[in-house]
Amino acid sequence: MIEAVLAGYEADGADLAPRFEAIDSAGLYAPVADFMPKTPARIADIGAGTGRDAAWLAGLGHVVVAVEPVAALREAGRALRPGLDWIDDRLPELSSLRGERFDRLLLSGVWQHLDDPVRAAAMPVLAGLLPDGGVLVMSLRHGPGAPSRPVWPVDVQATAVLAQAAGLRLVHRVEAASVQAGNQAAGVTWTWVCLEKTPPP
């Protein structure tokens, strides 16, 4: 089903790019601002879209990799931000990043597009990209999605349990309204979670 999601984003890319660009990154990440690095850090934005958030973070002095599997969004982002480090890869494999370590992983608006088996495969891969003390920052969507881009229900507690099994500890959880008017009208809400990599006992 991931292929159906990616095909939907590819088909809708021209319409989605300006909508993505209209979102203020600082405002979007306000619910987890305390968990964003205050000093230069290495960050991977997984499902980076047009690179809006990756460019914002790079502008703050971080070293950022923008990971985006949808060519239409990636190419739009390259045209806007040719200086960003772009990678064509996707969950759960993220094979291009294997062996790398990042202080922060960002997964904004992605998890709802993965079904339970893919989530189970993806979480250990994400954990493996973090050093001890590194943090995975995720936004979990609740509510309907576009017909062309399937979504699956997200249970916050189940996500935390999955993370814990991969060595990640829930250190922050906060509910947030959608920043897009269309999603607000559709009743979409979000839960932000921060999951910290803990050393094995």
Side-chain angles (χ1 to χ4, degrees):
M1 291 300 289
I2 293 178
E3 285 72 18
V5 173
L6 297 179
Y9 272 104
E10 192 71 52
D12 299 340
D15 175 60
L16 289 172
R19 287 166 53 189
F20 287 169
E21 288 297 309
I23 296 171
D24 173 64
S25 297
L28 179 67
Y29 283 91
V32 291
D34 289 346
F35 290 85
M36 302 303 281
K38 304 300 188 289
T39 57
R42 194 154 190 259
I43 300 174
D45 184 4
I46 298 167
T50 56
R52 176 200 66 224
D53 300 337
W56 167 63
L57 291 163
L60 295 175
H62 304 298
V63 177
V64 187
V65 174
V67 182
E68 177 52 58
V70 177
L73 297 177
R74 196 173 60 248
E75 294 310 314
R78 275 203 175 107
L80 288 166
R81 304 177 177 94
L84 269 182
D85 183 7
W86 289 91
I87 291 179
D88 175 9
D89 210 337
R90 70 185 200 183
L91 289 166
E93 295 88 357
L94 293 180
S95 54
S96 302
L97 301 183
R98 295 296 177 93
E100 306 247 12
R101 292 292 181 275
F102 299 91
D103 303 295
R104 294 292 184 276
L105 298 177
L106 306 184
L107 212 66
S108 176
V110 173
W111 204 242
Q112 75 272 8
H113 291 308
L114 310 180
D115 62 19
D116 285 340
V118 176
R119 290 171 185 166
M123 192 65 83
V125 172
L126 293 166
L129 297 174
L130 291 167
D132 291 344
V135 177
L136 168 59
V137 178
M138 302 174 68
S139 65
L140 308 178
R141 179 182 174 126
H142 312 293
S148 60
R149 304 185 298 278
V151 298
W152 282 263
V154 177
D155 182 85
V156 178
Q157 185 57 34
T159 304
V161 169
L162 197 62
Q164 185 175 18
L168 302 174
R169 179 172 63 98
L170 179 65
V171 292
H172 183 66
R173 169 182 175 171
V174 62
E175 312 305 318
S178 178
V179 298
Q180 297 189 70
N183 282 344
Q184 291 172 5
V188 173
T189 62
W190 298 84
T191 303
W192 285 90
V193 296
C194 297
L195 304 159
E196 183 181 42
K197 178 74 169 287
T198 56

